[in-house]
Every structure is written in C-alpha cells, then in structure tokens.
Amino acid sequence: MYRDVRMREADRKENGVHRARDRPGYERTDYSVYRLSAKERVQYLAVYVVLDGCISYLFFCSPIAFVLLLPGAALFFREQQKRLYAKRKREITQQFLDGIQLMLAALQAGYSSENALREAQKELCKIYSPEAAVVREFEWMDVQMGRSRNLEELMLDFGRRSDIADIVSFAEVFLTAKRTGGDLIAIIQNTVSCIRQKQETVQEIETCLAGKAMEQNIMSAIPILILAYVKFSSPGFLDVMYETVIGMAVMAVCFAVYLLAYLWGQSIVRIEV
C-alpha cells in the first residue's frame, strides 16, 4: 500500500503537479481585497514621485507644491489597487472557466466529479503557472478532498472568497446538483455556456472601449505637453504665472480643472458588466 502511494505521488510530480500541502506557508486567499506587494508599492511610489515632480514643475515651479501633492500618493495607490483588482478578477474568471471546461471533459469521459477535478488540475498545470490562482485553489481542493471534505462545499468556499458572481453561481448550482442528484454534466454545460457568453460580451465591450480609452489618455497628455512646450521653448514666458499671487491662483484652478477632467474621463471609459 505504501509503495502504491509513493508511485501515485511520483506520477503527480512527473506530470508537473505540485501539491498545495507540499508548499510551505500555503494559505487560502481572500480575493475580495487586493493588497499591493512591497515591490508594487515601491514601483508605484516611484511613478507617483515622477508625476508629482513633473506637475509641480510645470504648473507651479515650486518645491512647496511638490511636498503638498505628496499625500495624493494614497489616492494614486487606491486607483492602482482598483485596476489590479479588476485585472485579477478577469484572470481568475478566465482560469476558472478553463478549469470547469476541463472538468466537464473528464466527466463526459466517465470520471466522478472528484476525479474530474484532479484531472482538470493536471491539465491546468500545463496551461498556467503553479502560482496561478485557480491552479492553487484546485490543488487545495484536491488536498482537502483527501481529508474527507466535500467538493461542492470547497467549490462554494472558493466562490465566496473569489468575490466573482460567476464562480459563486456555478458553485451554488454545482452544490444543488450534487445534493439533489441532477444531471451534473448537462447542468455544468449550461453554466459554462452562460459564463462563456458573458465573457465574450465583456471582451467585445472592452474591445470597443480600447480605442476610446487610448483617445482619452492622449487627450489627457496634450495639456501637459503644451505646457511643457511653452515652458521650454520660451523661457521666462510663464514666470508671471509662478511669481504672482493671481498667476499662482490661476494655475491652481487650471490644475484642479485638469485633474477633475481626467478623473471624469476615466470614469466614462470604465464600464463594469
């Protein structure tokens, strides 16, 4: 018996499957919150400092303005968190869709739902890196099933932690089908079809908005480029805007209007489905 267990473990390693229990420090992740890593914080802080320096120099030409704008880094970080959170949700949804499609193929081949997940796990390891969210979650489910936990409960737990409506809906349907003895293959096929149609709709919307988002970014850069051109091509021309109270007030109003217009434009091209 011990020899059979060793052979199964060797077979898993040969297929590139690394068990979650073999990973030190493996923990279930709450995907409803995105936390910036230390590397990301340093990276975005450097970007914000450069932006702060450029804006302070072009609009105010004052180191005091640079210091006063530094607290804006918190808002910049929050926006980056939102962007990365939305990106991670899209990636997890796509990975999960691939995973349940692989499960469906295994179910159609005659596997039980538990063994179908294990087969899907092996194939996912060939498609995605070992650190991909769904690979880690399927590995965790595999380990927990070995500890006599139900697959449907593990799937529902992942759906709740993922904070993704499609995964939650699938987990609830999967739980109901397992508990009531429904046609699991037909139910999963229908659910996969619905999720796939939604993903295609989202991709179409993103494709349509990609051009508009690029236009919005270009239009946002134009005022900065014009200001930089005037400042460097005609030295001293803007000194009155930096050295008088009225000039500084005008530049402050211009910067506030520019910032509000940029945020407004970002909200227009950001559509959630």
Side-chain angles (χ1 to χ4, degrees):
M1 180 178 178
Y2 178 74
R3 184 170 176 272
D4 293 339
V5 172
R6 292 289 300 273
M7 290 179 65
R8 286 197 296 270
E9 288 294 326
D11 181 64
R12 286 180 180 273
K13 292 179 180 180
E14 289 176 1
N15 284 280
V17 179
H18 303 280
R19 300 292 293 268
R21 64 185 172 193
D22 294 332
R23 294 184 181 184
Y26 180 84
E27 296 179 356
R28 291 184 301 168
T29 303
D30 182 8
Y31 299 100
S32 62
V33 179
Y34 190 94
R35 294 180 177 84
L36 294 174
S37 64
K39 180 180 179 180
E40 289 173 333
R41 288 181 179 277
V42 172
Q43 175 184 348
Y44 291 126
L45 180 61
V47 171
Y48 182 80
V49 168
V50 172
L51 291 175
D52 187 7
C54 292
I55 291 173
S56 301
Y57 179 70
L58 294 175
F59 279 92
F60 306 103
C61 198
S62 170
I64 298 177
F66 176 81
V67 175
L68 293 176
L69 290 174
L70 281 178
L75 177 61
F76 183 73
F77 278 16
R78 192 177 302 116
E79 287 300 312
Q80 297 305 316
Q81 281 181 314
K82 291 180 180 178
R83 182 181 63 83
L84 294 172
Y85 171 69
K87 178 182 178 182
R88 184 176 67 180
K89 285 184 69 173
R90 291 194 298 270
E91 291 176 349
I92 292 176
T93 302
Q94 182 59 52
Q95 292 171 10
F96 182 76
L97 183 59
D98 292 337
I100 58 177
Q101 285 180 319
L102 292 169
M103 277 187 64
L104 178 60
L107 285 170
Q108 291 173 333
Y111 287 88
S112 66
S113 57
E114 289 77 11
N115 289 330
L117 181 131
R118 295 187 176 98
E119 291 300 316
Q121 173 193 344
K122 294 178 183 179
E123 297 301 321
L124 283 173
C125 288
K126 299 175 183 177
I127 301 174
Y128 298 107
S129 70
E131 298 304 318
V134 172
V135 173
R136 289 165 59 91
E137 291 297 334
F138 274 40
E139 290 175 354
W140 176 257
M141 292 180 199
D142 186 8
V143 172
Q144 294 303 307
M145 285 189 298
R147 297 172 181 172
S148 301
R149 293 192 61 184
N150 295 327
L151 174 58
E152 55 269 26
E153 293 177 355
L154 295 169
M155 195 73 73
L156 187 60
D157 175 65
F158 172 49
R160 290 169 178 168
R161 287 186 291 108
S162 70
D163 194 32
I164 299 175
D166 291 333
I167 299 179
V168 174
S169 298
F170 174 82
E172 291 175 348
V173 170
F174 185 76
L175 174 64
T176 303
K178 286 277 289 182
R179 295 291 171 84
T180 60
D183 189 348
L184 194 59
I185 294 178
I187 291 172
I188 293 178
Q189 280 180 328
N190 183 56
T191 307
V192 168
S193 177
C194 292
I195 297 175
R196 174 66 68 184
Q197 289 176 3
K198 182 178 178 180
Q199 287 298 106
E200 290 176 354
T201 303
V202 170
Q203 289 176 0
E204 290 177 2
I205 293 174
E206 290 178 348
T207 301
C208 293
L209 289 177
K212 298 299 179 182
M214 180 63 70
E215 292 176 8
Q216 195 267 338
N217 290 332
I218 294 174
M219 292 175 65
S220 298
I222 287 176
I224 299 293
L225 295 176
I226 292 175
L227 189 59
Y229 173 77
V230 173
K231 186 171 181 62
F232 291 114
S233 63
S234 302
F237 183 77
L238 295 175
D239 287 351
V240 67
M241 305 301 293
Y242 303 136
E243 297 173 357
T244 64
V245 175
I246 296 177
M248 289 187 288
V250 170
M251 293 302 285
V253 171
C254 289
F255 173 68
V257 171
Y258 171 77
L259 181 61
L260 290 174
Y262 174 78
L263 295 176
W264 187 22
Q266 288 291 316
S267 65
I268 290 174
V269 298
R270 185 184 299 155
I271 297 178
E272 295 184 3
V273 179

